[in-house]
Amino acid sequence: MIASTDRMAGWLEVAASPLWSSDRATLRIHPVCMHHCTCHAISLNGRWVCSSDGSLTIFHSRESAEHFLELAHIDHYELGEPAEISDAMPLKTQCVSFRPRKGLVACRMRCNEGSLLDS
């Protein structure tokens, strides 16, 4: 099941999800095709996770998404289906990257050879 862009989940819901029973909170990390690159997004119960301003939170790598979940003390998640976010879709995004000594930071990286999709 691909997450819906109609309803979003917030970071606070993700942080509170360990308090819910496992049958109520399903977290998935999805590879996401955007701008000819593969990044990652997180869904909670079929809803994309977004920031407080409604921007879809995109992680530069799966490691970055996993680090975000670790910060929320979440150790159980699933790998979700790949999703494609169309350039034509009117959706704001916020890219986040993990840096070893800085933690999670706003992503200013361009696609590199390793993250380019095979066309």
Side-chain angles (χ1 to χ4, degrees):
M1 170 178 148
I2 297 293
S4 169
T5 57
D6 297 335
R7 292 182 44 235
M8 302 279 200
W11 292 1
L12 187 56
E13 288 179 85
V14 172
S17 67
L19 302 175
W20 305 338
S21 62
S22 62
D23 62 328
R24 288 198 47 205
T26 302
L27 284 151
R28 291 188 175 107
I29 297 176
H30 301 266
V32 176
C33 173
M34 291 188 65
H35 313 293
H36 306 290
C37 292
T38 300
C39 295
H40 293 76
I42 297 173
S43 68
L44 172 63
N45 294 339
R47 298 178 294 144
W48 290 120
V49 173
C50 65
S51 62
S52 60
D53 71 355
S55 298
L56 176 63
T57 302
I58 297 293
F59 297 91
H60 186 74
S61 66
R62 183 170 142 193
E63 177 186 35
S64 297
E66 290 171 342
H67 187 74
F68 174 81
L69 294 176
E70 286 173 18
L71 290 173
H73 303 287
I74 295 169
D75 58 1
H76 179 75
Y77 58 87
E78 301 170 4
L79 298 180
E81 307 86 15
E84 186 168 338
I85 305 296
S86 168
D87 290 338
M89 186 179 274
L91 185 64
K92 292 189 322 181
T93 59
Q94 176 184 34
C95 186
V96 180
S97 180
F98 173 69
R99 303 272 173 81
R101 292 194 193 124
K102 294 183 180 183
L104 290 172
V105 296
C107 183
R108 290 188 169 87
M109 292 183 263
R110 290 279 185 214
C111 295
N112 60 31
E113 301 265 337
S115 64
L116 291 177
L117 292 176
D118 296 327
S119 300

